[in-house]
Amino acid sequence: MPLEQEQEVGHRHRRFAFWGGGLVLALVFAACIAFFSEPFQRNYLYPFPYRSLVDTYAARYQVDPHLAAAVIKTESKFQNEVHSHRGAIGLMQLMPDTASWIAGQLDDPSYSTDALHDPERNIRYGIWYLHSLQQEFDDNDILALAAYNAGRGNVQEWIATYGWPKDFSDIDAIPYQETREYVKRVLMNERKYKELYP
């Protein structure tokens, strides 16, 4: 191939590479904008099904609905048929023993383990339980969430062992890694729900 033709081909390849690379960058930029857009986040990253139920029971039991939504998102991603390997059931991943105790506290004689798959019952029980934990731990959401994940007995033991104050806020001091990560995830999700669903 003559030198002039080789140079022309080289110029064309460089022009194609320049414009092709620019197109790729533009597409990546557009995808990033779409990914971080409010509609995308609402529809795919932070949906809020069952919002009316969450709002109803959050108001009844004086729990921030964004916190309740964040617990559901973290526990089950809003899938009401979910079972954990430990036996927790439904949207708010309630253990059958805990749910049976809650049913007694709520004077609900119609409770059954199968009924925990009913979104309304699961949300009602879960939000009531979250409220009871907030009361037990003086409205400290970090301690209440830690108890939701690890059990109230463990949290009471940690308070006694480490001398945690009522205004405890050092999530990294929680002894269980799973619980530390759980509390951080719920609080991050709560912030997102507050941003997206004011």
Side-chain angles (χ1 to χ4, degrees):
M1 181 184 292
L3 180 60
E4 290 179 2
Q5 284 182 314
E6 285 184 10
Q7 289 175 335
E8 178 58 28
V9 168
H11 287 313
R12 270 183 286 180
H13 284 159
R14 283 193 293 276
R15 283 198 300 272
F16 177 79
F18 175 80
W19 291 111
L23 179 61
V24 168
L25 284 175
L27 290 172
V28 168
F29 183 68
C32 287
I33 290 175
F35 183 82
F36 289 107
S37 71
E38 189 170 300
F40 182 88
Q41 291 189 66
R42 279 173 169 252
N43 288 326
Y44 298 105
L45 301 180
Y46 298 94
F48 200 167
Y50 309 110
R51 185 177 184 182
S52 62
L53 289 174
V54 171
D55 285 345
T56 296
Y57 290 110
R60 179 178 298 183
Y61 299 124
Q62 300 177 327
V63 171
D64 187 321
H66 303 102
L67 181 63
V71 169
I72 299 172
K73 162 77 172 170
T74 305
E75 290 283 355
S76 69
K77 297 183 173 64
F78 288 92
Q79 299 173 52
N80 71 316
E81 294 299 323
V82 169
H83 283 246
S84 79
H85 66 282
R86 293 179 182 168
I89 297 171
L91 291 166
M92 299 194 75
Q93 287 292 277
L94 298 169
M95 295 296 289
D97 287 349
T98 303
S100 178
W101 174 77
I102 293 168
Q105 298 299 305
L106 294 174
D107 195 22
D108 181 2
S110 65
Y111 166 75
S112 70
T113 300
D114 287 343
L116 289 177
H117 290 294
D118 171 52
E120 180 167 6
R121 188 185 305 264
N122 198 288
I123 288 170
R124 178 188 176 204
Y125 281 20
I127 291 178
W128 181 91
Y129 184 52
L130 189 56
H131 168 68
S132 77
L133 293 172
Q134 288 177 320
Q135 285 188 311
E136 181 172 345
F137 296 104
D138 299 298
D139 290 319
N140 185 315
D141 284 345
I142 290 173
L143 294 177
L145 291 171
Y148 196 98
N149 177 260
R152 61 205 321 157
N154 281 322
V155 175
Q156 290 288 10
E157 183 180 329
W158 298 336
I159 290 171
T161 301
Y162 303 113
W164 291 349
K166 289 183 178 181
D167 61 350
F168 172 82
S169 61
D170 185 7
I171 297 173
D172 289 327
I174 295 171
Y176 292 177
Q177 180 180 351
E178 177 191 326
T179 303
R180 288 195 301 271
E181 292 173 356
Y182 174 83
V183 171
K184 288 176 182 178
R185 267 200 317 276
V186 173
L187 294 177
M188 181 194 71
N189 286 336
E190 181 189 22
R191 285 193 294 273
K192 290 303 298 185
Y193 276 95
K194 284 182 174 178
E195 288 173 15
L196 294 169
Y197 302 92

